Amino acid sequence: DAGITQSPRHKVTETGTPVTLRCHQTENHRYMYWYRQDPGHGLRLIHYSYGVKDTDKGEVSDGYSVSRSKTEDFLLTLESATSSQTSVYFCAISESGSTDTQYFGPGTRLTVL
Amino acid sequence: DAKTTQPTSMDCAEGRAANLPCNHSTISGNEYVYWYRQIHSQGPQYIIHGLKNNETNEMASLIITEDRKSSTLILPHATLRDTAVYYCIVRPSGGGADGLTFGKGTHLIIQP
């Protein structure tokens, strides 16, 4: 299995509070992604990164920001969490843009009350 | 990305080969076929991918028809731990950082 960890694995928070999820990889892969998974929607891309300090938006980026200051870490921040952001969040990595196999982390289950 | 069509669910007896079909009739020449699976509450797991030729690895075999409009994922000796949702995805090579598009997949249930 690819060396990907996510923290925390579970979090319950209240509406309006900031939340940061962390994805850590030990594979030295260039690309990192954040997805959310909700019933009836499948996985949807939030943001991705193609290198340190290089990020771009995905399909459902509103309400989320990301940062990547080191190759191994990709942070997802909910500046002011809302109940609609209750979801399971998955991080993924891939070695390069031309090698499209993405490997996924174990996920973080976030509940916003 | 080309669309895929998969059966909603399938059953297979433990120890038998599980054959999961996928239709991708609008696939383009530079698009690969990828298979992932997701066991309940876990992250999607990469299984295998291919372009034209059949592929085999330690987990499964991928059979792609000559016209590339459909493919079959084969788990040669299914176990209870293979119960999962299986996703067939097509996407271009050199696709950059585009996200993967997961459809509804096939819920494979391995029966003891």
Side-chain angles (χ1 to χ4, degrees):
Chain A
D1 288 343
I4 309 168
T5 56
Q6 292 185 233
S7 59
R9 294 293 313 280
H10 302 271
K11 185 170 182 68
V12 179
T13 191
E14 294 190 350
T15 297
T17 59
V19 176
T20 296
L21 308 183
R22 179 183 184 234
C23 177
H24 179 78
Q25 59 143 332
T26 57
E27 305 295 326
N28 201 36
H29 282 5
R30 179 181 172 191
Y31 288 80
M32 298 184 76
Y33 310 79
W34 278 107
Y35 291 85
R36 60 178 288 175
Q37 185 173 35
D38 306 289
H41 288 279
L43 271 83
R44 293 180 291 175
L45 182 67
I46 305 171
H47 280 281
Y48 64 92
S49 169
Y50 47 98
V52 172
K53 297 194 189 322
D54 293 322
T55 66
D56 208 344
K57 297 178 180 179
E59 177 188 357
V60 290
S61 60
D62 287 349
Y64 301 95
S65 62
V66 291
S67 66
R68 190 162 177 209
S69 58
K70 299 184 290 185
T71 298
E72 57 266 35
D73 289 326
F74 192 32
L75 304 180
L76 177 71
T77 297
L78 291 64
E79 300 290 348
S80 177
T82 67
S83 58
S84 65
Q85 294 175 312
T86 292
S87 188
V88 181
Y89 291 86
F90 291 102
C91 172
I93 65 173
S94 67
E95 189 169 1
S96 72
S98 61
T99 304
D100 292 330
T101 302
Q102 292 185 20
Y103 299 94
F104 287 80
T108 293
R109 183 173 295 276
L110 176 67
T111 302
V112 183
L113 302 175
Chain B
D1 292 354
K3 286 198 157 199
T4 62
T5 304
Q6 299 178 251
T8 302
S9 65
M10 294 180 62
D11 287 352
C12 179
E14 189 177 19
R16 302 295 295 269
N19 295 272
L20 292 88
C22 179
N23 182 288
H24 33 79
S25 58
T26 60
I27 193 170
S28 299
N30 68 339
E31 288 185 315
Y32 282 77
V33 179
Y34 279 78
W35 284 84
Y36 283 79
R37 72 180 183 184
Q38 189 170 24
I39 297 169
H40 182 60
S41 298
Q42 297 183 21
Q45 179 186 21
Y46 165 76
I47 301 173
I48 198 167
H49 74 283
L51 183 63
K52 297 181 188 177
N53 300 322
N54 298 337
E55 302 287 344
T56 296
N57 63 19
E58 65 277 5
M59 288 183 68
S61 295
L62 174 60
I63 309 298
I64 302 174
T65 58
E66 194 168 342
D67 64 7
R68 303 208 323 120
K69 293 185 176 182
S70 65
S71 61
T72 301
L73 178 74
I74 301 172
L75 307 179
H77 304 287
T79 71
L80 298 178
R81 288 178 296 181
D82 292 321
T83 292
V85 179
Y86 287 76
Y87 298 97
C88 170
I89 300 165
V90 295
R91 62 190 307 251
S93 62
D98 289 348
L100 295 175
T101 301
F102 286 73
K104 296 190 185 306
T106 297
H107 188 194
L108 175 67
I109 300 170
I110 306 301
Q111 304 282 3

